[in-house]
């Protein structure tokens, strides 16, 4: 039963099991259709409930009655029986008596309808109640008491506005006296003792001067999350992946994830040294992975809380990507086994654009996770900023309306309402597999952190908060007054939990060292040794046998599906590919095809995403073929290579960098046995995803002991296309590399050991074969590191940018440095200058050298792997040409590109025996000019500097 004065938050919307099914198959035979019933009963004027939207409701009730008469109220059963029995028009339903009749008669409804065939009043009242419920769902939030402090700016103070909404909540003339009546409904209450756990108070008592970003003011978050997890487990979910900001994280780790308390308490000990390499991170950023038995459902459930930076909401797409990956690997195509929960702060949810980007991935075929439960901890303040200054919308959750997600606003000082709403939210997600939002309207008892003074900026708010009873105390008093628990039982529960914390605190003092790896959010069982080390420090050859190269090449140059019509221009492209394969040659697109295809044969799943990646920004890839005669009919030849190959996923993304790169990073976290690549439309555009690059990709392993093999493909090159289509900003990636420019590394296991010690790998390949090798090496290495590849644009079709099969056969490897192999190498003593370069500029240099007939005077050495820096190989080049001066040549401006990174490392390599000169564009604010003539003039000037052997005479 529900009381009609009950707040809207306790009115249950129709669940899936209550939703009336439209009968299309197996419908039992019936003497009349609903249309006949409607026309037969009486004129519309006599039956107003059969008009407008009410008729749709009655029709649904009728079909439900046909399927099962017991599924509807007895009043409807009698009405439909009368109509089907042939009652005269108007006798199955007659116009209602005056509305002054009290609704109290509903309590005796069953006997009434059995005694009287005319159930008009009961039907009218039932519809009135349904209308009232709907009115509360639509307008009730305007007058609901959502703010525990009673000061929210969302509540309407203007009496006229408030009166308007109150009037709208009195449909169909329900009398005030009727609101004291009751009608059947389901109400779920909870007296879970979880809300009685005083974790935050214990932390404050032990470490009062430590930042911990406690949950005081929204302690109800803990039973809220547990309710969502319990209900989802009941519905079949066995893996929940969570993301959240710092506030309340330690509490969630302790009481939801069930992290060992002593491990949490150890993080407060400033005397313990870290056992793991890297910087580590503060305790309220760390993640966790744990598998346990859910005590409510008695089912095993895995919980993963993803580590996050202080950049609020940055973890949102990462969580979604990891969730998608876990669904993919377990074959969960509908999201019934794996789900995500995202926690948010009110200011960040409204203010951070990544929230919008993440929502817009929610229903895309290659990105959907089939519904996420979002929980907003609505403190009604952002650090020191009031909501009126922080957003333009009434609620912080309004951004979720862009995907029509239902939003439940609930007073966080009402634990039973919160638990009820969380049950509904979990049921919604389980039933419809769409996003849903729970807005916990609460407050923040302390400042932004425990050391902050909030009275400077919110004096009135915090005067009210100082008076506010904690929800634990308020709820305990309610339970005690209702006789649910007594005072001794309450005190016993408090003492019991406090004892658990004290015992864990005592155990934490026995710890001698901190292990960040105990906080790993994405473990890879079996990939490393038991102590987390690589199983070997060698890398096998990345070459491939010729049979496989030829087979992949033939598939790449054909259409493996019958009766499939491709574009005429694409036919020419595939024909050219076939000719290359016949000549044992590959261009860039074929090299990529062969790298991917060979890994698929070895069982490695490959996922390539980004804007326009299916065709390729520069129309070179064409991994998805489109039938020219049948709409939406496509073919992916890569999935037709081998009988038992791994699947290949290639997907055009939404026009987002931040959200999509974060998503792909999360996907790569789930398994080391997958190659996940994100390609920027142009390398210039990666900077809108700089937060993911800086906070996760660059430093993720150092902070969280979490390896990741994510690959970034960034088209780069100065080709006269203007400031925004030229530079992938290599200087930024190189500036964040962790190798020391002043230290020449030890030469034992140089290649692989250097890769293991670095934070990421940065390459700029000048040949298709080297690109093929570096992609394959990414998987064949015994560990995982992010790979940054500056990919070409004009070289995709450059006639000299070709590689022979011989460069890709067994025994071949990725070349970190490609030395001079022409005339200059035959007489090294006669070489007057070594030009060190990387990427596309090599082809400009060789063309200019040939034009000047200087092949014997100038050697050109390509640095293919920039970081970690190939000290050992460049040292050999230095010794090989003893009489040559050293010049670094680049097409980028001097304050950009590679020069500032390369120069000190080259100087260290040669022990500062010679200066390292520069040939390239002058410093500039913009990456490139937009004027074609200026571009060519700059190029000619750098070539002149590079080949004029008198350029640096007289300079020191």
């Amino acid at each position: 039963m529900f009381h009609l004065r009950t707040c809207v938050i306790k009115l249950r919307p129709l669940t899936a099991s209550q939703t009336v099914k439209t009968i299309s198959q197996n419908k039992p035979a019936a003497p009349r259709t609903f249309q006949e019933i409607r026309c037969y009963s009486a004129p519309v004027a006599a039956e107003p409930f059969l008009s407008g939207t009410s008729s749709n409701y009655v029709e649904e009730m009728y079909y439900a009655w046909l399927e099962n008469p017991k599924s509807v109220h007895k009043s409807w059963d009698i009405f439909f029986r009368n109509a089907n029995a042939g009652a005269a028009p108007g006798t199955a339903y007659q116009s209602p008596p005056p509305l002054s009749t009290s609704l109290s008669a509903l309590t005796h409804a069953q006997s009434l309808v059995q005694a009287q065939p005319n159930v008009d009043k009961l039907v009218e009242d039932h519809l009135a109640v349904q209308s009232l419920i709907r009115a509360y769902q639509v307008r009730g939030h305007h007058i609901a008491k959502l703010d525990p402090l009673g000061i929210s700016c969302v509540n309407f103070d203007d009496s006229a506005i408030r009166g308007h909404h109150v009037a709208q909540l009195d449909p169909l003339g329900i009398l005030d006296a009727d609101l004291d009546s009751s009608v059947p409904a389901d109400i779920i209450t909870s007296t879970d003792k979880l809300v009685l756990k005083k974790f935050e108070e214990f932390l404050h008592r032990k470490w009062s001067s430590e930042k911990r970003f406690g949950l005081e003011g929204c302690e109800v978050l803990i039973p809220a999350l547990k309710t969502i997890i319990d209900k989802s487990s009941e519905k079949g979910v066995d893996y929940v992946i969570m993301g959240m900001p710092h506030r309340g994280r330690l509490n969630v780790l302790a009481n939801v994830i069930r992290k060992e308390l002593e491990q949490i308490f150890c993080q407060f000990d400033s005397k313990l040294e870290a056992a793991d390499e890297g910087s580590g991170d503060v305790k309220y950023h760390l993640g966790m992975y744990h598998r346990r038995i859910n005590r409510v459902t008695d089912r095993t459930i895995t919980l993963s809380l993803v580590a996050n930076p202080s950049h609020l909401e940055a973890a949102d797409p990462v969580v979604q990507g990891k969730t998608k990956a876990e669904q993919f690997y377990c074959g969960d195509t509908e999201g019934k086994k794996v789900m995500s929960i995202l926690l948010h702060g009110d200011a960040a949810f409204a203010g951070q654009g990544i929230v919008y980007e993440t929502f817009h991935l929610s229903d895309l075929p290659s990105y959907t996770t089939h519904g996420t439960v979002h929980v907003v901890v609505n403190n009604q303040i952002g650090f020191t900023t009031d909501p009126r200054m922080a957003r333009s919308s009434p609620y912080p959750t309004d951004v979720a309306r862009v995907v029509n997600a239902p939003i439940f606003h609930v007073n966080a000082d009402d634990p039973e309402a919160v638990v009820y709403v969380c049950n509904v939210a979990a049921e919604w997600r389980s039933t419809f597999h769409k996003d849903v939002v729970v807005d916990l309207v609460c407050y923040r008892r302390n400042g932004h952190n425990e050391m902050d003074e909030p009275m400077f900026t919110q004096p009135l708010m915090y005067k009210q908060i100082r008076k506010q009873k904690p929800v634990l105390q308020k709820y305990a008093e309610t339970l005690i007054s209702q006789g649910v628990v007594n005072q001794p039982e309450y005190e016993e529960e408090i003492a019991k939990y406090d004892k658990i914390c004290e015992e864990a605190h005592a155990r934490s003092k026995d710890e001698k060292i901190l292990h960040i790896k105990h906080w790993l959010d994405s473990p890879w069982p079996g990939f490393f040794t038991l102590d987390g080390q690589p199983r070997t420090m060698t890398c096998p050859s990345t070459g491939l046998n010729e049979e496989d190269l030829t087979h992949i090449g033939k598939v790449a140059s054909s259409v493996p599906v019958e009766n499939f019509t491709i574009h005429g221009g694409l036919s020419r492209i595939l024909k050219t590919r076939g000719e290359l394969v016949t000549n044992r040659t590959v261009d860039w697109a074929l090299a990529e095809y062969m790298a991917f295809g060979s890994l698929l044969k070895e069982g490695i799943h490959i996922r390539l995403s980004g804007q326009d990646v299916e065709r390729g920004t520069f129309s070179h890839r064409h991994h998805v073929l489109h039938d020219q005669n049948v709409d939406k009919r496509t073919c992916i030849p890569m999935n037709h290579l081998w009988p038992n190959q791994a699947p290949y996923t290639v997907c055009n993304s939404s026009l987002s960098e931040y959200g999509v790169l974060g998503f792909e990073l999360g996907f790569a976290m789930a398994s080391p046995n997958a190659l996940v690549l994100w390609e920027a439309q142009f390398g210039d555009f990666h900077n809108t995803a700089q937060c993911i690059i800086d906070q996760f990709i660059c430093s993720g392993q150092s902070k969280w002991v979490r390896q990741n093999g994510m690959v970034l493909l960034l088209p780069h090159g100065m080709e006269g296309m203007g400031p925004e289509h030229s530079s992938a900003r290599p200087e930024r990636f190189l500036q964040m590399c962790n190798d020391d420019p002043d230290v020449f590394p030890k030469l034992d296991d140089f290649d692989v050991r250097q890769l293991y010690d670095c934070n990421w790998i940065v390459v700029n390949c000048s040949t298709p074969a080297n690109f093929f090798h570096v992609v394959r090496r990414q998987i064949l290495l015994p560990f995982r590191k992010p790979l940054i590849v500056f990919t070409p644009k004009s070289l995709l079709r450059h006639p000299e940018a070709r590689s022979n099969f011989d460069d890709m056969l067994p025994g071949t490897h990725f070349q970190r440095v490609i030395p001079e192999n022409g005339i200059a190498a035959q007489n090294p003593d006669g070489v007057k200058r070594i030009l060190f370069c990387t990427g596309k500029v090599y082809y400009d240099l060789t063309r200019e050298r040939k034009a000047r007939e200087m092949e014997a005077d100038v050697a050109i050495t390509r640095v293919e792997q920039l970081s970690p820096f190939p000290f050992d190989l460049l040292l050999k080049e230095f010794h090989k040409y003893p009489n040559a001066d050293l010049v670094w040549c680049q097409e980028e401006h001097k304050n950009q590109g590679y020069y500032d990174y390369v120069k000190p490392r080259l100087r260290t390599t040669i022990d500062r025996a010679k200066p390292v000169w520069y040939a390239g564009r002058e410093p500039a604010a913009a990456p490139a000019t937009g004027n074609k003539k200026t571009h060519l003039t700059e190029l000619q000037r750098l070539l002149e500097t590079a080949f004029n052997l008198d350029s640096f005479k007289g300079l020191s």
Side-chain angles (χ1 to χ4, degrees), residues 149 151 153 213 245-247 310 312-313 344-352 376-391 396 442-449 452-454 456-458 461-462 465:
L149 301 178
I151 60 174
C153 63
F213 295 94
H246 43 281
R247 186 165 311 285
S310 287
L312 296 174
E313 308 296 340
H344 314 268
D346 53 318
F349 199 64
Q352 291 292 320
V376 178
V377 177
N378 186 352
N379 295 314
Q380 307 183 76
I381 187 174
F383 204 152
T384 66
T385 304
D386 292 333
R388 61 197 173 94
M389 301 297 183
R391 63 177 187 265
C442 57
Y443 57 92
R444 189 188 66 196
R445 184 164 292 277
N446 301 310
H448 179 67
N449 59 65
D452 189 49
E453 176 51 74
F456 289 141
T457 51
Q458 278 78 30
M461 181 185 207
Y462 272 85
I465 289 175

Side-chain angles (χ1 to χ4, degrees), residues 59-337:
E59 182 174 12
E60 290 178 346
M61 295 287 286
Y62 178 64
Y63 285 142
W65 176 80
L66 286 177
E67 188 175 86
N68 179 10
K70 294 183 179 180
S71 67
V72 302
H73 192 270
K74 187 67 175 177
S75 60
W76 285 110
D77 181 31
I78 293 175
F79 173 76
F80 292 135
R81 286 179 188 275
N82 288 342
N84 269 6
T91 59
Y93 174 79
Q94 298 179 352
S95 47
L99 286 174
S100 59
T101 304
S102 173
L103 192 63
S104 302
L106 280 175
T107 56
H108 306 289
Q110 185 171 357
S111 59
L112 178 66
V113 297
Q114 287 177 344
Q116 298 179 354
N118 294 335
V119 292
D120 46 0
K121 181 63 174 68
L122 185 61
V123 171
E124 183 74 12
D125 287 342
H126 195 85
L127 289 174
V129 170
Q130 294 295 328
S131 297
L132 179 62
I133 292 174
R134 181 58 183 157
Y136 266 102
Q137 290 172 337
V138 173
R139 297 180 180 271
H141 65 100
H142 290 291
I143 63 169
K145 187 179 184 301
L146 297 175
D147 180 11
L149 301 178
I151 60 174
S152 173
C153 63
V154 175
N155 291 334
F156 289 89
D157 294 326
D158 187 282
S159 58
I161 297 177
R162 183 178 177 84
H164 168 73
H165 291 295
V166 171
Q168 295 297 320
L169 295 177
D170 186 23
L172 299 181
I174 295 180
L175 302 181
D176 188 68
D178 294 333
L179 295 178
D180 291 320
S181 304
S182 298
V183 295
D186 293 329
I187 294 228
I188 297 179
T189 61
S190 171
T191 57
D192 195 331
K193 294 308 181 246
L194 276 174
V195 294
L196 298 179
K197 292 190 175 179
K198 303 186 72 174
F199 180 76
E200 301 289 356
E201 183 179 301
F202 180 85
L203 293 181
H204 180 71
R205 190 166 71 244
K206 294 294 184 182
W207 299 280
S208 60
S209 61
E210 281 273 350
K211 287 183 182 180
R212 53 184 170 82
F213 295 94
L215 200 54
E216 293 95 332
C218 194
E219 295 91 339
V220 76
L221 176 67
I222 303 305
L225 291 178
K226 186 177 184 302
T227 299
I228 295 169
I229 292 169
D230 291 346
K231 177 60 70 172
S232 300
S233 175
E234 176 188 310
K235 297 293 185 179
V237 169
D238 51 32
Y239 195 173
V240 177
I241 300 164
M242 301 170 61
M244 68 177 297
H246 43 281
R247 186 165 311 285
R249 175 173 285 255
L250 297 181
N251 204 324
V252 170
L253 283 165
N255 294 314
V256 178
I257 308 291
R258 306 272 178 82
K259 176 72 176 173
E260 301 94 331
L261 293 178
E262 53 266 37
Q263 290 291 329
I264 295 176
F265 298 157
C266 280
Q267 291 290 323
F268 288 90
D269 192 335
S270 59
K271 298 178 182 178
L272 293 182
E273 294 184 4
D276 308 288
E277 297 179 358
S279 64
D281 205 347
V282 291
K283 49 189 168 291
Y284 38 82
H285 285 173
L286 301 177
M288 177 60 183
Y289 174 95
H290 186 49
R291 180 172 293 148
R292 62 175 173 82
I293 297 294
N294 184 284
R295 290 180 293 186
V296 173
T297 60
D298 200 31
R299 299 179 71 248
T300 299
I301 191 161
T302 300
L303 301 173
S304 176
L305 177 62
V306 173
N308 72 284
S310 287
H311 296 62
L312 296 174
E313 308 296 340
D316 293 357
V318 179
V319 169
Q320 300 298 62
K322 178 173 167 57
T323 302
K324 183 67 173 181
E326 299 293 354
Q327 290 174 347
F328 175 83
Y329 294 128
C330 73
D332 183 16
T333 58
E334 297 179 351
K336 294 182 177 180
K337 296 294 184 182

Side-chain angles (χ1 to χ4, degrees), residues 572-771:
R572 292 189 292 273
I573 292 173
L574 297 187
K575 181 181 178 182
T576 301
R577 282 185 186 174
E579 293 170 352
L580 287 173
V581 173
T582 301
N583 295 325
R584 303 180 69 250
T585 306
V586 297
D587 60 5
W588 218 271
L590 262 178
E592 180 184 74
Y593 222 108
M594 291 174 175
F596 287 3
S598 60
L599 292 174
L600 293 172
K601 183 181 182 182
E602 296 168 21
I604 302 299
H605 169 58
I606 298 177
R607 177 182 169 94
L608 170 64
S609 87
Q611 296 156 23
D612 312 299
V613 297
E614 295 179 4
R615 189 201 76 169
T617 301
F618 310 102
S619 195
H620 71 288
R621 181 173 287 125
H622 295 287
H623 282 189
V624 178
L625 310 181
H626 293 260
D627 194 308
Q628 299 296 296
N629 299 322
V630 182
D631 186 37
K632 298 178 183 178
R633 187 187 182 205
T634 60
C635 170
I636 303 177
M638 194 83 76
N639 281 322
H640 296 264
L641 287 168
W642 321 99
N644 298 310
Q645 69 173 72
Y648 173 55
T649 302
V650 56
C651 46
N652 290 341
S653 73
S654 66
L655 199 65
S656 155
E657 288 83 28
Y658 190 171
V660 173
L661 180 57
F663 187 98
E664 301 306 333
L665 176 80
F667 200 102
M669 283 166 51
S671 171
N673 299 314
L675 181 67
V676 181
L677 309 95
W678 175 77
E679 183 176 69
Q681 189 181 67
F682 283 83
D684 313 62
F685 304 152
H686 80 263
N687 56 8
T688 60
Q690 200 68 46
C691 180
I692 298 297
I693 294 169
D694 291 353
Q695 311 311 132
F696 291 89
I697 301 177
C698 170
S699 57
Q701 182 178 352
S702 178
K703 294 190 293 187
W704 306 316
V705 201
R706 181 175 73 196
Q707 294 193 14
N708 196 297
M710 181 75 198
V711 179
L712 273 63
L713 303 178
L714 307 176
H716 171 83
M718 302 294 172
E719 296 172 356
M721 298 185 69
E724 278 76 52
H725 294 81
S726 298
S727 177
R729 295 288 191 174
E731 66 277 1
R732 294 182 178 172
F733 292 94
L734 295 172
Q735 185 265 336
M736 291 188 283
C737 294
N738 66 348
D739 60 332
D740 192 331
D742 301 320
V743 176
F744 194 97
K746 296 179 180 179
L747 297 181
D748 296 337
D749 300 323
F750 194 93
D751 185 11
V752 178
R753 172 58 64 177
Q754 247 199 327
L755 294 172
Y756 180 73
D757 291 338
C758 74
N759 62 319
W760 57 14
I761 304 166
V762 181
V763 303
N764 189 350
C765 301
S766 62
T767 71
N770 231 18
F771 178 62

Side-chain angles (χ1 to χ4, degrees), residues 43-54:
V44 170
E47 300 193 44
F49 75 94
L50 286 178
S51 63
T53 57
S54 296

Side-chain angles (χ1 to χ4, degrees), residues 10 15 171 187 243 320 327 384 395 401 426 526 559 636 697 714 720 729 763 781 799 823 893-894 906 921 928:
K10 290 191 177 181
T15 63
I187 294 228
Q320 300 298 62
Q327 290 174 347
T384 66
Y395 295 104
R401 297 172 67 181
V559 181
I636 303 177
I697 301 177
L714 307 176
R729 295 288 191 174
V763 303
L781 283 170
I823 298 174
H893 291 279
K894 189 175 185 179
L906 272 177
R921 287 178 165 88

